[in-house]
Amino acid sequence: MADNTQESVEQLSDKIDVLLRQYDQFTHLVVFDSRVQRTLAEAGYGREEPDAVGLNRYLGERTRHIAGDMLIHLFDTAGRAYASTDALQLFWRNYDEVAAISWYAKMATMDGHMLWVYGPAWRDGEIPAIIGARKIKMRTTCILSGICSSSCPWTGSTGSLPKRRRRSNGKCR
């Protein structure tokens, strides 16, 4: 019985690793997409109002191809937030609110690598979620243009992510 339980835990752990790796790769592709980069650049330089509705729709279309329960949030340095869905929300509504979170300083030191944390999200009430966050730099100038945060509901036990999944550089195994 103990062997079967251990095998189930290992299989679930491996599945989580694969999902987190997919989310990491997907968000990397999204943040360097030319449409996303252009919108964040316009916001960062105080140009015309970015097309938030268009970007939200675009993010929604992109996330549908990887996972229905995944949320992509982009925060530009001008304070605006863009989200791929309204079905799952994070508690932070702008860049300044994200910058006030305890793990923001850790994310800032990771040079664009994904930081995975366990935290709250909102879907008809507060739910536990796995949250990945990375700073976004402009592809051409490497100037900070925003933050990408992704999350997915966590249906495992309460507490934090499995300890063997967290590395100092924020990457999952």
Side-chain angles (χ1 to χ4, degrees), residues 41-62:
E42 289 170 359
Y45 293 115
R47 296 184 185 144
E48 64 188 55
E49 189 73 20
D51 179 18
V53 174
L55 186 55
N56 290 344
R57 187 176 300 126
Y58 175 73
L59 292 172
E61 289 169 4
R62 295 297 306 258

Side-chain angles (χ1 to χ4, degrees), residues 71 73 75 88-93 120-122 129-131 149-151:
L71 166 71
H73 253 152
F75 300 93
L88 178 66
Q89 289 292 315
L90 297 177
F91 287 104
W92 314 290
R93 298 288 180 221
W122 187 267
I130 298 173
I131 300 170
S149 176
S150 64
S151 63

Side-chain angles (χ1 to χ4, degrees), residues 136-155:
I136 305 170
K137 294 182 179 179
M138 295 304 297
R139 183 175 41 202
T140 55
T141 62
C142 292
I143 295 172
L144 174 68
S145 61
I147 299 170
C148 174
S149 176
S150 64
S151 63
C152 56
W154 173 252
T155 55

Side-chain angles (χ1 to χ4, degrees), residues 24 27-28 32 106-116 132-137 148 167-172:
D24 185 24
T27 59
H28 196 257
F32 287 113
K106 173 84 173 155
M107 181 190 61
T109 65
M110 297 185 59
D111 194 33
H113 292 284
M114 189 72 87
L115 171 67
W116 293 103
R134 69 165 28 105
K135 282 193 155 192
I136 305 170
K137 294 182 179 179
C148 174
R167 290 185 175 176
S168 62
N169 67 0
K171 290 186 176 182
C172 60

